[in-house]
Amino acid sequence: MKERVDAILRRNQAEYLESLLQPRDALLERLEKFAEENGHPIADPEVAQLIRGLVRTKVPRRVLEVGTNIGYSVIVIGRECEPEAVVETIEIDHNTLTSARRFVAEAGLPCRVVFHEGAALDVLPRLTGPFDFVFIDCVKTEYEDYLDALLPKLERGAVIVCDNLLWKGRVAAGDHDAATDALRAFNKRIANDPRLITSVLPLGDGTGVSVVV
Ligand SMILES: C[S@@+](CC[C@H](N)C(=O)[O-])C[C@H]1O[C@@H](n2cnc3c(N)ncnc32)[C@H](O)[C@@H]1O
C-alpha cells in the first residue's frame, strides 16, 4: 500500500482499486522493493498497468522515456513491445542509470533499449525521432519544455503519457510551489493544445494520456 493512498481518490476507492492489481512478477517486485528501500521514485503499479495496455494497443516502433530512474518503466514498456521497437530513455544520474542498465539487462527484453545519460533538456534536441510513444516522468517544472522539444518529433497518432499531474493532490488543492504551479500550467496546456487530445486521469498520482492529432 502506498504511503498516501488517499492523496487523489477517497481512501476506500483507492484501496479497492489497489486490491484489483495483479501481483507483479519476481523481477518487478524486486525493483519495487529496491526503489522503496533506496528512495527511487518509480511509477505506481496502476500507472504501469495502464502503460502496458497502451503500448499493446499502439504497437509503437520508437518509444521515448524522459526519466529512466532504475529502469522499472523501461521494463514495463519494453516487455510489451515488438522485437523491432526501440526504447530510448534519458537519465541524468550516472549511478541510477548504472542500476537501470543492470535491471534492464536482467529483464531480457524483446526490443532494443538505448540509454541516454544527461539532462533531458540537453539530450532532447539531439534526438531525431520520430517517436510514436512517449512517457514523461522527470523534472516537474520542465514538463512543458519537454513537450515543446518533443512535439516536432512526434508522429500523428503518437501517445504521450505523463506521470504525477495531480502531484499528491497539491495541483487541485491550489497549493503554490514551483512544481505544483508548473504542473497546473502544464495540465491547462495539454488540455487545450489543439494538437493534442488529452485526458488527465485520477490514476496513480494523476496520469495524462494525450494523443497527437
Ligand atoms: C520519477 S523518476 C523516473 C521513474 C521511471 N520513469 C520509472 O517509472 O521507473 C525521474 C528520474 O529523472 C531523473 N532526472 C532528474 N532530473 C533530470 C534531468 N534534468 N534530466 C534527466 N533525468 C533527470 C531522476 O534522477 C530520476 O531518476
Side-chain angles (χ1 to χ4, degrees):
M1 185 74 53
K2 60 184 126 158
E3 197 189 325
R4 291 198 50 209
V5 70
D6 55 353
I8 307 298
L9 295 174
R10 289 189 186 155
R11 175 169 284 271
N12 66 333
Q13 310 288 350
E15 286 175 352
Y16 170 70
L17 292 175
E18 199 154 319
S19 78
L20 293 179
L21 285 173
Q22 291 172 347
R24 265 72 69 199
D25 66 279
L27 177 62
L28 289 187
E29 225 176 60
R30 192 145 53 82
L31 264 78
E32 287 175 16
K33 192 159 178 280
F34 181 89
E36 198 178 334
E37 288 173 356
N38 296 281
H40 286 293
I42 61 170
D44 288 324
E46 60 270 36
V47 176
Q49 182 72 355
L50 173 73
I51 289 174
R52 289 184 63 204
L54 290 172
V55 172
R56 280 284 169 165
T57 306
K58 178 66 188 164
V59 197
R61 284 165 289 109
R62 289 196 70 175
V63 178
L64 176 67
E65 174 181 65
V66 189
T68 317
N69 197 254
I70 58 169
Y72 182 82
S73 46
V74 170
I75 295 171
V76 166
I77 292 169
R79 279 178 170 172
E80 308 306 332
C81 282
E82 297 292 313
E84 52 278 9
V86 180
V87 178
E88 298 190 48
T89 183
I90 309 171
E91 170 60 51
I92 199 168
D93 185 72
H94 180 75
N95 291 337
T96 305
L97 197 57
T98 302
S99 299
R101 286 179 194 275
R102 183 162 50 85
F103 286 129
V104 169
E106 199 180 323
L109 298 175
C111 60
R112 194 155 73 86
V113 177
V114 179
F115 296 94
H116 299 280
E117 184 175 333
L121 290 177
D122 293 336
V123 174
L124 284 171
R126 298 203 296 266
L127 304 182
T128 51
F131 298 102
D132 52 3
F133 196 98
V134 174
F135 181 37
I136 296 179
D137 188 18
C138 202
V139 181
K140 307 311 159 193
T141 51
E142 296 182 354
Y143 272 29
E144 197 156 3
D145 299 318
Y146 303 151
L147 183 67
D148 286 332
L150 275 168
L151 271 174
K153 301 174 190 202
L154 299 184
E155 290 179 354
R156 281 182 70 192
V159 174
I160 309 168
V161 178
C162 300
D163 202 6
N164 308 111
L165 296 188
L166 295 177
W167 204 225
K168 298 171 177 54
R170 289 178 210 139
V171 169
D175 291 4
H176 289 292
D177 56 72
T180 306
D181 288 339
L183 287 169
R184 201 178 291 117
F186 180 75
N187 289 341
K188 198 167 176 185
R189 160 80 185 276
I190 57 174
N192 292 291
D193 192 314
R195 290 165 291 183
L196 301 174
I197 297 173
T198 294
S199 297
V200 178
L201 308 172
L203 179 90
D205 192 24
T207 308
V209 180
S210 303
V211 178
V212 177
V213 296

